[in-house]
Amino acid sequence: MNWNYPLGATEYIFIFLFLLAYVTYFIRMIRITRLLNTTTRTLFLKFFLRSIAFALLVVALLGPSFGEAGREVQAEGKDIYLLTDLSRSMDATDVVPTRLERIKYETARLLSNAGNNRFGLIVFSNDAFVQAPLTFDQPALELFVQSLRTDLLPRSGTNLCSALELAYQKMLNDPTAANHAKMIVLLTDGENSGNCSANLFNNIRRFGLRVFIVGVGTRNGSSIPDNGKVLRTKDNEVVVTKLDPATLQRLAEQTNGSYYEVNNETNDMPRLIADINAASGRLIDSRTVTVTSNKYYYFLGVALFLLVLDVLVTVRTFRL
């Protein structure tokens, strides 16, 4: 038998004080019954019932466990690269407070529901760079995410293909996980200046990469803040950036992926998180653990039964 809550010095002191007080009470009751010239058999019976009940209550409080059994426990996880768009259009305010700030907030939610998954971070505009490799250190990754800015990369523009190609290469060269456990989450407004090769899409499908594409922005779009003003072209025209769902949905179809949308009216992030958690993961660890069951209620039930008997047994204080 095992104990979930072993006795400590404090518990021993309280048990000793209780027994001392109860023995004193018992001795006093014996003296009273002798003075009254009554039998003490009932008193001894009640002492016996209370002592056994008290012992059983102490055992129940300790949480006795028995009936050990071996159970195999498996931990599964996924390898997920987050591809975050850092082009100037991500400063647009059609999504409050900005598209990028909304991505950072939603990414934090995703990481908080990550479980045993490894996450990596790739940032891109015209070119893509690995900001953080795959890691289980989610607090550190959150710091990387919160530090993202649109001026972090040297060139503006948006090339989704460069980010997908880099993520594919990193996944391809990482032999630590099974194919079905590798995923890409692309967060962008969909404005794409690059052309993806059919070979890239074929490789993603053949390699079994799961692609989740999140479009951030609105179809009406908005201007882009620029040092207290709005960004303009060389011809002094206001630059208006809009979400391009058609491009992203077509990209999702070409990669056998899924499309989600985030803006002030729509938030598909809970559905994305549910889809990621529902997907099968790679085996991280497997071990056999010993499982015991707390059987305190057996001892508690018997103790309560004895206390009921104690109530029913009365002590005679006089003789007819």
Side-chain angles (χ1 to χ4, degrees), residues 38 138 174 231:
T38 60
Q138 294 167 13
D174 181 8
L231 186 66

Side-chain angles (χ1 to χ4, degrees), residues 7 10 70 78 84 109 117 137 192 220 242 272 277 288:
L7 290 176
T10 303
K78 310 169 186 71
T84 303
R109 290 182 58 192
N117 302 328
D137 192 350
N192 185 23
N220 294 329
K242 300 178 181 181
L272 169 64
N277 291 336
T288 300

Side-chain angles (χ1 to χ4, degrees), residues 284-296:
I284 296 176
D285 187 21
S286 178
R287 65 184 64 184
T288 300
V289 297
T290 299
V291 180
T292 59
S293 179
N294 190 344
K295 303 296 184 180
Y296 73 94

